[in-house]
Amino acid sequence: MSAVLTTSGAKASYFAQPYNLGAVGFYFEDLDDYREKANDLKDDCGLPVEEFELQYIDGDHARLFNALSISQASLSDWFDLLDELDDDEDRYLIACHLAEMGFDISELSRRWDDYRLYRGTAADYAEEIVSDCYEVPGNLASYIDYERLGREMVLGGDITELEHDLIVIGG
């Protein structure tokens, strides 16, 4: 699996696109930067610009930003969430999974400890569960269909395949 969070040290880059056609948007990197630039922005008539569409331009958290549909109303919560994630790749992937399932940004940090990631296939996980729970004699082990058990776990909602060789367990 390729690294999801590259954590290159560079800050994420965002763009605030005004809905007002008489104003030009701006790039920002954090909440203070956004507030300062948004408060100073005026349209062609000298009136303050109040509404923006926020866009994620570059960085490690685009999937989560888009899954949460971050707006002006949730921007402060977004930066708080990033602090809580603390560049933890597993926590980030679980947060993405929860957000894509429809959980609100305020619920993510309360729920992500209820989940864990397993690096491997559903069949690998099924084999591990069987070996942990049962003492299967060597001659019978070859008759167990771990592929089918893994598929059943996915279809039953016990585990969720996030991507190839990565599943989430819990909930």
Side-chain angles (χ1 to χ4, degrees):
M1 181 181 91
S2 62
V4 174
L5 296 176
T6 57
T7 59
S8 59
K11 287 191 163 217
S13 179
Y14 307 88
F15 189 75
Q17 176 64 49
Y19 288 111
N20 183 332
L21 298 176
V24 176
F26 57 88
Y27 289 92
F28 64 99
E29 291 185 348
D30 56 37
L31 187 59
D32 291 334
D33 190 24
Y34 168 80
R35 286 181 175 157
E36 180 182 326
K37 291 176 179 176
N39 288 337
D40 292 343
L41 189 63
K42 307 284 188 239
D43 67 9
D44 292 343
C45 299
L47 299 172
V49 177
E50 297 176 353
E51 294 184 60
F52 300 91
E53 174 191 350
L54 302 181
Q55 302 166 2
Y56 197 95
I57 302 301
D58 189 30
D60 295 333
H61 303 98
R63 178 178 170 191
L64 185 57
F65 185 89
N66 293 327
L68 291 169
S69 301
I70 299 299
S71 67
Q72 288 172 263
S74 59
L75 189 60
S76 178
D77 293 334
W78 167 252
F79 286 109
D80 290 343
L81 179 65
L82 290 182
D83 289 340
E84 290 182 63
L85 286 173
D86 195 32
D87 291 331
D88 182 325
E89 183 177 0
D90 286 0
R91 191 175 277 180
Y92 172 73
L93 289 168
I94 291 168
C96 288
H97 171 68
L98 294 172
E100 289 164 353
M101 287 177 35
F103 285 97
D104 187 69
I105 190 169
S106 63
E107 298 177 73
L108 298 183
S109 63
R110 287 189 309 221
R111 294 186 177 267
W112 61 43
D113 289 334
D114 296 337
Y115 294 80
R116 70 182 179 88
L117 293 180
Y118 178 83
R119 284 170 172 74
T121 65
D124 296 337
Y125 181 69
E127 185 174 1
E128 186 175 307
I129 291 295
V130 168
S131 69
D132 287 348
C133 296
Y134 305 102
E135 288 186 34
V136 180
N139 59 341
L140 294 178
S142 62
Y143 292 101
I144 298 175
D145 187 352
Y146 295 111
E147 291 290 330
R148 184 175 184 172
L149 283 173
R151 277 194 311 275
E152 289 294 325
M153 293 171 109
V154 170
L155 292 173
D158 301 315
I159 61 176
T160 304
E161 291 180 301
L162 297 180
E163 56 188 56
H164 182 66
D165 287 348
L166 182 66
I167 59 176
V168 66
I169 305 151

